[in-house]
Amino acid sequence: MQAAWPRRVVVAPDSFKGSASAREVAEAIARGLSRAMPGLSVETVPMADGGEGTVEALVEATGGRYVTETVTGPLGEPVEARFGMLGDGQTAVIEMAAASGLPLVPASRRNPLVTTTYGTGQLMRAALDAGATRILIGIGGSATVDGGAGMAQALGARLLDDEGQPIDFGGGALHRLARIDLSSIDPRLRSTTILVACDVRNPLVGPEGAAAVFGPQKGATPAMVRTLDDNLRHLAAVIRRDLGVDVADLAGAGAAGGLGAGLVAFCGARLQPGVELVIQAVGLERRLQGADLAVTGEGSLDRQTPFGKTPAGVGRLARRLGIPAIALVGAIGEGVDDAVLDACGLDSVFSIVPGPMPLDEAIRGAHRLLEQAAWRLGRWLSRRPPRTEVAAHELP
């Protein structure tokens, strides 16, 4: 008699925003599968796509630790922010929003002419102090449009005006920049690999740039947008002249109000899709080796999921390795069809909600709904023929 299939499952979901962390989602799915299939080998790998929850997912997945620092917030006031040191003891993971994020600024005080990324630079310096030789930075959710100038200043870069004095914080001061002096920048940066989770392709300046596209959500009026775009264009020109790096039209340079550009120019960082960065950091390819099935998930799967979301990253990797993949999600968006699932590398997707239910009730009950959905999936799997007799497209 052939052994039952699957024997080993890797559960690699993102968080369900507002309901459950990636770790909690993974554990709920694992409980449901194990209840349906006693003896099943289940490995949980909390995931993220570089946005909110990335630090927690990577620390949990690698057995790392958290470090909390008091840094300069986007308005220049002190804030408590934390970053993660991963289990290898050499990799730090930072969410810039922890130090320079929009939720740290009351709606009535949102003004990207004055908000700064200085605190993000302080977290980077703290990571270097903690022994990091590799820094992963998620740059979503910023309150800033300063082109990463504050971040650079925190790391020792001197951004000087015509009189040789440091310029003020904020995107509104960039027009005063006359010269960049990196002689005092932290020397440890030269031997540190900096990878940036960046899922937007926007350039630094122009109609698709940092100010025009992202400035209004950070409090910029139309007049402010014009000022900020001009100032970022000036910053790019000085960077090109003094540092020999052209960031004006670089895809992704406009992310986080131009922080993408600043990290490339001042720190030699590389921009890459967030979910790919996380997949590498947690060693997901190695963990999938020998698995019979991958189960992923997120709060919602829709037509945007193929563009950098966790289920697509996990599904594509699983497909490349010849492993079927299924997603358990809170909601399946309108228009999800064969093309969307194929683009995500997924064999199928199931909603964890068994019937009509108020949204707040589904959010409150996410842990229970996830476990029940995984149990139903496990019962179906346990009654199928062995994997050798089941083609991937025959999954439900």
Side-chain angles (χ1 to χ4, degrees), residues 168-243:
D168 294 331
F169 291 158
L174 294 175
H175 70 284
R176 295 181 52 231
L177 178 65
R179 181 167 62 91
I180 298 171
D181 178 3
L182 296 188
S183 61
S184 299
I185 200 164
D186 196 311
R188 294 173 294 183
L189 290 171
R190 286 194 292 269
S191 57
T192 302
T193 299
I194 298 176
L195 303 174
V196 183
C198 178
D199 290 318
V200 303
R201 304 286 293 171
N202 301 72
L204 182 62
V205 297
E208 299 299 320
V213 175
F214 304 115
Q217 70 193 42
K218 304 171 188 186
T221 65
M224 288 181 187
V225 167
R226 290 191 292 273
T227 296
L228 289 165
D229 190 62
D230 289 343
N231 288 1
L232 290 173
R233 196 176 300 276
H234 175 68
L235 172 65
V238 178
I239 286 173
R240 184 171 59 249
R241 184 197 69 201
D242 290 359
L243 306 183

Side-chain angles (χ1 to χ4, degrees), residues 8 43 279 281-290 317 321:
R8 180 170 177 266
E43 181 172 4
I279 283 172
V282 303
L284 184 61
E285 182 168 352
R286 169 180 53 80
R287 292 176 165 194
L288 282 170
Q289 297 292 340
L317 176 58
L321 297 174

Side-chain angles (χ1 to χ4, degrees), residues 275 279 296 301 305-317 343-346:
V275 70
I279 283 172
T296 185
L301 190 145
T305 301
F307 302 100
K309 297 299 185 181
T310 292
V314 174
R316 288 169 186 156
L317 176 58
C344 293
L346 296 171

Side-chain angles (χ1 to χ4, degrees), residues 6-11 33-34 37-44 291-293:
R7 295 179 296 274
R8 180 170 177 266
V9 176
V10 173
V11 178
L33 290 173
S34 296
M37 294 183 286
L40 177 70
S41 173
V42 183
E43 181 172 4
T44 58
D292 299 308
L293 176 69

Side-chain angles (χ1 to χ4, degrees), residues 258-282:
L259 180 59
L263 286 164
V264 170
F266 295 108
C267 304
R270 298 201 307 269
L271 309 180
Q272 67 181 92
V275 70
E276 292 181 10
L277 189 154
V278 173
I279 283 172
Q280 293 168 12
V282 303

